Amino acid sequence: MSQGLKIAVVGSALAALAFATPAVAEELTVEMHLISKEGVGKSIGTAHASDTDNGLLLKLDLAAELSPGPHGFHVHENPSCEPAMKDGEPVAGLAAGGHFDPEGTGKHMGPSGTGHLGDLPVIYVEVDEDGALPVRRPLLAPRLKVADLRGRSLVIHAQGDNYRDEPEPLGGGGARVACGVVPE
């Protein structure tokens, strides 16, 4: 076999191997912080995001800093957790902007619905006899990928989310209580 033919065979084999090797799923970790109208506070843990065949898998590892019960959880438009002014008053995490809605649906319909793409599953904080427990559980957002999160923020709200705009706008999640900026 000539030298040129050996190189071509080896090159073709490497190209075939590269083509046949499945792509590594993209993943990232977002540090989550308590937020207030004064600014970004202490870290309460992380949200690890990875792509799966069924959508975005978020593995939460959050300290017992959130109040017991359900909390709305969303991808917000901007990569900031800072307060911003509304009606002359600072509002916690308002610089994160609104829910990520690239299609401009203007609707809040949950992680499997056809509304805001930034709608994530509700976080439940459980309690035992000693109080709130850390949140360590996976959540699945079937319409998202890690790439959709880049350059945005993850926001946890004070209350639950009914994935509707009635009786309260945006599912009734209320104030923003924790936030993490997603790296580019």
Side-chain angles (χ1 to χ4, degrees), residues 134-146:
V135 177
R136 293 190 177 105
R137 66 174 51 104
L139 303 172
L140 185 66
R143 299 184 305 141
L144 288 170
K145 295 190 178 305
V146 167

Side-chain angles (χ1 to χ4, degrees), residues 37 83-92 94:
K37 65 181 182 176
M85 301 298 281
K86 180 177 181 182
D87 300 327
E89 297 290 326
V91 176
L94 193 59

